[in-house]
Each structure stands twice: as structure tokens, then as C-alpha cells.
């Protein structure tokens, strides 16, 4: 028994298809050709064309496959496409996790442990990659059949797959099942030839989706009929970009026709997704590194620094026992205390503190004397006050007055609303009021000269009253 060859298949299928379309409504004879090549490395083993009653060319192509070329109909797993899809999905997953961590403020430590973060990022990408690989590898998307992919590269009204019966081991062959599934999915016809070259029709072409047809391009096959003119007419009606792409595709054909994977799908979309994810993670990192880092200090060291500072400001009067310094501004805030300074519980009696409100506190040789604010409302031309600081507790204000007086700086205190209604604190000020800003600045210069030997630096302000 002679083995079926591709040439035998082509002759038998051309004869079958001519009879199949014999009674099709048409206005011209059926023209047939075989062994055609088109732009982009496309090969058509058989080609038929006739004019419909409307005058439009109706195009039929088929792929003939014998036993020696059976790999054209056997599916292969597209490992490259699977790799890039897996990598893209892994990057998308990690990017989403990265954004979630940024929103939830889980990345606060990242600037301090950057390289450990890089290692963790690589581990996450690898981990998600393994997970997505297990999910994706069974999808039909990665089963590549050369004949089907070639049909998808160009436009034809009907496309047929014709093969010898010995190409598959039987109807339970996984390769046959996959070919049949893809032909049904894409609307391609299937023909099988037995030893006697008799054609068995498995399914007829049925492409019902016009959008699917429009996505495929018209390819110029090298024939001697008017199909060439038809293709050129269609190319002229397309936009400049499509014409440019067509011009590139019609450059001298350099494709290796023995490479059955030459129609493998491009991966530029996956690369674009990966770059977008890298960009998103870079933006998140930039925002994280712009944040002021958290400073972790030893409590004992911190308390010593505060004691030193308080001694410089108020003298060695154990004020640290009266003030509780809170931590930095970190959520969640404690709602029942001041964010930074908690007033001591053993402060002035509330009734005494209330009596000090709306008063001026003046230090004399006999101690502190309190005057009503109204007594100082008539100050003539002396309208400038030198503010040394503010306090929220009258005890601390008095201690500060005593400390500065010991350093030779004449200061007094007053309840802020006496002259500044919006202020709700005590003000430490130089006891004199000044008629102009120049004299006030001179007083500041003299005051800083007295404070400098004690190592005290203050932000001294001039307020107009």
C-alpha cells in the first residue's frame, strides 16, 4: 500500500472543494491554484476563488498535511508565551500587594532595611510566578498548532485543514482532539483522506463573527489571477499605518519556512505590563523614601537629653518631675492627653489658676505681684512687646521668670488674651514695652548676649500690641 503524499492530498482536496462549491451562488468560474506563498512567510497549499453574485471575491484556502509533515497539526506548548504571561501576572500581583502595603503603611521600615526589601521582593515575584504557572499552564491558550496559527494570520472566507488518516493514531489522540477543538473555536473546516484518497468531511467552515474576520489582514498571494488586483485594491483603501505595515510584510521573504513556530504570538504586551508594574512600584518607593524616617532612641538617653535641656532653660529645679514628655507624632494618638506635654497633676489649684487669668504677673523683690490686664491697656506710644516664649501652666511661667531674672534678663509674664485675644496661653516677655521696632531689636540683641554664656538659645519674637 502506497503512503499518501501531500501532492495526492492537494489534488484530491481541490477536486472535492470544486464540487463542494459548485452550486454556490456565483457569477464566475472557480479558479484554483496550489503551492502559494504570501507575505510574512504564509504558505497556502491550495487556493480557490470565485466571484459572488454581488461581484465580491469569495476566497477559499486549505492546508494539506501528510504523515511526514504531521507536526504541522500536532500542538506544542508555547513555553515562551507561558513564561512571559506568568512573569507579567506575578508582577501585577506583587505591584498590587505593594500598593496595598503602601496604603496600609506597612512599608514604614523599608527605607531602613532596603536590601532586605529587595530580597523579599524577588522572593514574592518568584512565589507568585510559581502560583500563576500552575494556574496558567493548563489553559488552551498555550497549545500552538502551526496550521491553525497560519490561518489566523490572513483573511479568507473559508479555510480548511486537510490531512491523511495516518497523521493521528485515532479519534482519541490528544492531538486530534485539540485540532478539532481549535477548528470549532475558529470556524475552520476539517477534511480527512483515507488510503483510497476518498475525502471524509468532519466539519464545514462556519465563521459567524464578522469582527474575527476584520481582525485578520488581507495577504497578497503570488498567483496569476485577478486575486492580486483584488488584494492591491483593498490595501489602497486602508490607512497609512496599515499600508506601512503591509509594505514591511512585503519585503523579501526571509522567514525560515521550516520553522513551525514562526507564527508564535508576540509578548510586547506582557513586557509593557511588567514595565508599568515596575513604574508603579518605583513611584511607591519614591513616596516612601520622601517620608521622614522614624527615629528610635533609648528611653534613658532621651530622658537625659531632656533633663539637660530643661536645666539650660530653667535651671536645676527638677522640672522634669513636673512635665511628662510624650512620644513623637505617630498614630494612633492618645485622645485623653496633650500630644506632646501633659500638665502635671500637682499644679496650681483650679480656683487659683482661674484667678490668674486675665492678669499680668510681675516679679518684684517681694515676690510675684498680679495686676489686672486693664491697667496696662493704656501704654501710650510703647506698642512693641518682645516675646521670649509661651507657657500653658502658671507654675512653669513663674519658674522661667525666676530663672531668667537670675541670669540678669528682666522678664515678666501675662495671660495671652490680655493683648492677643486668640492666644490661650501665658506669655513670657521683657518687662519693658518699646515705642518702635528698632529699640525692640536692640533689646533682643542685649538679651541674647546675656543668655549666650548659659547656652540658652531661644526664638525671640517682636509682637505689636
Amino acid at each position: 500500500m502506497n503512503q499518501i503524499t501531500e501532492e495526492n492530498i492537494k489534488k484530491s482536496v481541490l477536486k472535492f472543494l470544486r464540487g463542494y462549491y459548485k452550486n454556490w451562488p456565483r457569477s464566475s468560474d472557480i479558479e484554483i491554484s496550489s503551492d502559494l506563498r504570501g507575505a510574512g512567510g504564509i504558505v497556502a497549499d491550495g487556493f480557490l476563488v470565485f466571484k459572488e453574485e454581488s461581484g465580491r471575491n469569495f476566497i477559499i484556502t486549505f492546508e494539506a498535511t501528510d504523515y511526514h509533515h504531521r507536526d504541522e497539526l500536532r500542538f506544542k506548548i508555547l513555553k515562551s508565551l507561558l513564561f512571559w504571561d506568568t512573569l507579567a501576572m506575578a508582577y501585577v500581583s506583587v505591584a498590587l500587594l505593594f500598593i496595598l502595603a503602601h496604603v496600609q503603611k506597612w512599608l514604614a521600615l523599608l527605607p531602613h532595611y532596603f536590601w532586605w526589601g529587595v530580597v523579599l521582593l524577588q522572593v514574592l515575584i518568584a512565589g507568585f510566578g510559581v502560583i500563576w504557572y500552575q494556574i496558567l499552564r493548563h489553559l488552551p491558550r498555550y497549545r500552538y498548532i502551526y496550521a491553525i496559527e497560519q490561518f489566523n494570520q490572513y483573511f479568507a472566507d473559508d479555510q480548511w485543514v486537510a490531512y491523511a488518516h495516518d497523521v493521528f493514531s485515532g479519534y482519541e489522540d490528544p492531538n486530534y482532539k485539540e485540532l478539532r477543538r481549535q477548528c470549532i473555536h475558529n470556524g475552520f473546516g476539517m477534511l480527512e483522506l483515507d488510503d483510497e484518497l476518498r475525502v471524509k468531511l468532519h466539519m464545514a467552515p462556519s465563521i459567524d463573527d464578522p469582527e474575527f474576520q476584520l481582525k485578520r489582514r488581507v495577504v497578497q498571494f503570488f498567483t496569476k489571477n485577478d486575486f492580486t488586483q483584488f488584494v492591491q485594491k483593498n490595501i489602497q483603501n486602508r490607512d497609512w499605518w496599515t499600508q506601512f505595515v503591509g509594505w514591511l510584510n512585503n519585503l523579501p521573504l526571509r522567514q525560515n519556512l521550516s520553522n513551525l513556530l514562526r507564527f508564535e504570538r508576540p509578548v510586547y504586551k506582557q513586557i509593557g505590563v511588567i514595565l508599568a508594574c515596575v513604574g508603579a512600584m518605583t513611584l511607591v518607593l519614591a513616596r516612601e523614601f520622601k517620608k521622614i524616617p522614624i527615629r528610635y532612641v533609648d528611653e534613658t538617653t532621651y530622658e537625659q537629653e531632656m533633663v539637660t535641656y530643661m536645666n539650660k532653660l530653667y535651671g536645676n529645679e527638677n522640672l522634669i518631675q513636673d512635665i511628662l514628655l510624650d512620644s513623637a507624632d505617630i498614630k494612633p494618638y492618645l485622645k485623653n492627653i496633650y500630644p506632646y506635654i501633659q500638665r502635671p497633676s500637682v499644679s496650681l489649684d483650679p480656683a487659683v489658676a482661674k484667678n490668674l487669668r486675665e492678669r499680668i504677673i510681675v516679679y518684684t523683690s517681694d515676690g510675684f505681684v498680679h495686676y489686672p490686664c486693664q491697667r496696662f491697656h493704656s501704654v501710650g506710644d510703647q506698642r512693641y512687646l518682645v516675646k521670649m516664649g509661651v507657657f500653658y501652666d502658671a507654675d512653669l511661667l513663674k519658674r522661667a521668670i525666676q530663672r531668667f531674672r537670675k541670669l540678669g534678663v528682666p522678664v515678666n509674664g501675662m495671660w495671652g488674651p490680655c493683648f492677643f485675644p486668640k492666644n490661650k496661653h501665658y506669655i513670657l516677655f521683657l518687662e519693658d514695652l518699646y515705642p518702635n521696632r528698632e529699640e525692640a531689636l536692640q533689646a533682643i540683641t542685649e538679651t541674647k548676649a546675656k543668655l549666650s554664656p548659659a547656652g540658652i538659645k531661644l526664638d525671640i519674637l517682636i509682637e505689636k500690641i
Side-chain angles (χ1 to χ4, degrees):
M1 181 177 62
N2 295 327
Q3 197 169 46
I4 304 174
T5 65
E6 266 195 12
E7 290 301 320
N8 299 139
I9 295 174
K10 292 174 188 176
K11 293 177 182 178
S12 297
V13 172
L14 284 172
K15 181 179 179 180
F16 171 82
L17 292 179
R18 191 161 190 170
Y20 182 86
Y21 292 101
K22 180 179 180 180
N23 297 320
W24 203 277
R26 53 192 172 86
S27 60
S28 68
D29 293 333
I30 300 176
E31 299 181 18
I32 61 175
S33 301
S34 60
D35 296 325
L36 306 178
R37 284 190 60 184
I42 295 172
V43 177
D45 291 333
F47 174 83
L48 298 88
V49 61
F50 60 83
K51 288 188 180 294
E52 295 182 308
E53 292 180 338
S54 62
R56 189 183 76 88
N57 283 341
F58 191 90
I59 307 162
I60 307 106
T61 61
F62 68 86
E63 175 70 22
T65 305
D66 60 13
Y67 177 81
H68 297 292
H69 298 88
R70 60 189 180 277
D71 286 342
E72 294 179 355
L73 299 183
R74 294 173 178 266
F75 74 86
K76 299 173 180 61
I77 300 298
L78 292 177
K79 296 180 180 179
S80 174
L81 182 62
L82 176 58
F83 168 79
W84 283 103
D85 281 357
T86 299
L87 192 61
M89 292 304 299
Y91 267 88
V92 169
S93 302
V94 172
L96 292 176
L97 182 62
F98 214 66
I99 294 172
L100 176 63
H102 172 65
V103 172
Q104 297 296 327
K105 303 187 185 304
W106 298 339
L107 300 178
L109 296 178
L110 186 59
H112 303 277
Y113 303 96
F114 177 75
W115 293 112
W116 282 109
V118 172
V119 173
L120 178 61
L121 183 65
Q122 301 303 318
V123 171
L124 287 174
I125 292 174
F128 277 111
V130 172
I131 294 173
W132 279 110
Y133 174 79
Q134 296 299 327
I135 295 174
L136 297 177
R137 67 191 183 96
H138 299 293
L139 296 182
R141 166 182 172 82
Y142 306 105
R143 297 172 196 166
Y144 172 93
I145 298 178
Y146 163 78
I148 301 298
E149 292 301 325
Q150 181 170 237
F151 280 165
N152 286 330
Q153 301 303 310
Y154 66 92
F155 168 83
D157 293 281
D158 280 352
Q159 292 164 297
W160 298 79
V161 175
Y163 60 91
H165 70 92
D166 54 359
V167 168
F168 302 111
S169 60
Y171 294 150
E172 295 302 317
D173 188 331
N175 290 288
Y176 170 80
K177 289 183 176 180
E178 182 61 25
L179 175 66
R180 185 173 183 275
R181 185 196 68 79
Q182 291 197 25
C183 284
I184 293 173
H185 176 73
N186 292 288
F188 303 148
M190 286 182 64
L191 300 173
E192 180 182 357
L193 283 80
D194 60 15
D195 290 333
E196 303 297 327
L197 296 178
R198 289 174 296 194
V199 179
K200 178 180 180 180
L201 175 62
H202 280 266
M203 69 181 70
S206 57
I207 302 178
D208 296 327
D209 184 5
E211 292 296 326
F212 175 74
Q213 291 282 34
L214 292 174
K215 290 178 182 178
R216 298 187 294 171
R217 59 193 175 99
V218 175
V219 173
Q220 178 181 355
F221 287 101
F222 294 90
T223 65
K224 296 181 180 180
N225 53 43
D226 60 353
F227 177 64
T228 300
Q229 299 176 0
F230 164 76
V231 173
Q232 291 175 344
K233 180 179 178 182
N234 277 273
I235 291 177
Q236 291 172 358
N237 292 333
R238 291 181 291 172
D239 59 73
W240 68 271
W241 173 253
T242 309
Q243 293 184 44
F244 175 69
V245 174
W247 175 79
L248 290 179
N249 287 330
N250 283 292
L251 289 175
L253 303 178
R254 299 175 182 175
Q255 287 79 7
N256 180 9
L257 298 183
S258 63
N259 178 19
L260 299 182
L261 293 175
R262 64 181 181 272
F263 301 119
E264 191 172 359
R265 299 169 193 170
V267 295
Y268 58 84
K269 292 182 180 178
Q270 291 85 333
I271 295 175
V273 169
I274 293 172
L275 292 177
C277 292
V278 171
M281 289 188 287
T282 302
L283 181 60
V284 169
L285 275 178
R287 293 177 64 89
E288 286 293 332
F289 275 89
K290 283 183 179 180
K291 295 180 179 178
I292 298 176
I294 299 174
R295 181 187 174 200
Y296 296 92
V297 297
D298 180 71
E299 289 188 10
T300 302
T301 304
Y302 179 66
E303 184 174 338
Q304 291 174 352
E305 291 177 355
M306 293 298 101
V307 170
T308 303
Y309 176 76
M310 297 300 290
N311 286 338
K312 285 183 178 181
L313 187 60
Y314 301 115
N316 188 15
E317 300 181 17
N318 298 321
L319 292 184
I320 195 67
Q321 299 176 3
D322 296 336
I323 301 176
L324 174 62
L325 296 170
D326 202 325
S327 60
D329 182 11
I330 301 176
K331 293 180 180 180
Y333 305 116
L334 298 177
K335 303 297 184 182
N336 59 337
I337 65 172
Y338 285 94
Y340 300 103
I341 297 180
Q342 179 182 0
R343 297 184 188 180
S345 57
V346 289
S347 186
L348 293 177
D349 182 83
V352 177
K354 183 178 181 181
N355 185 47
L356 290 177
R357 300 286 176 87
E358 301 184 1
R359 289 180 176 272
I360 305 293
I361 303 174
V362 179
Y363 183 79
T364 68
S365 59
D366 297 325
F368 290 98
V369 179
H370 306 94
Y371 297 101
C373 292
Q374 291 83 355
R375 181 171 177 177
F376 288 86
H377 281 177
S378 179
V379 293
D381 295 333
Q382 297 179 349
R383 306 298 297 174
Y384 290 92
L385 176 144
V386 177
K387 184 167 68 174
M388 303 285 290
V390 298
F391 295 84
Y392 290 88
D393 187 270
D395 278 350
L396 295 179
L397 173 66
K398 290 182 177 182
R399 294 189 185 191
I401 292 174
Q402 290 175 334
R403 174 59 176 163
F404 282 109
R405 288 276 181 169
K406 289 179 181 179
L407 294 174
V409 180
V411 292
N412 288 317
M414 69 174 175
W415 178 236
C418 283
F419 291 110
F420 310 104
K422 293 184 179 180
N423 292 347
K424 301 299 180 182
H425 48 247
Y426 294 99
I427 296 176
L428 179 70
F429 66 98
L430 291 180
E431 66 176 358
D432 293 328
L433 299 179
Y434 302 94
N436 54 61
R437 182 175 292 273
E438 288 72 18
E439 291 188 21
L441 289 172
Q442 180 62 32
I444 291 175
T445 302
E446 295 174 358
T447 300
K448 287 184 177 180
K450 294 178 181 179
L451 295 177
S452 180
I456 299 175
K457 296 181 179 180
L458 299 176
D459 292 329
I460 304 176
L461 304 176
I462 299 175
E463 298 282 359
K464 186 176 181 180
I465 59 177

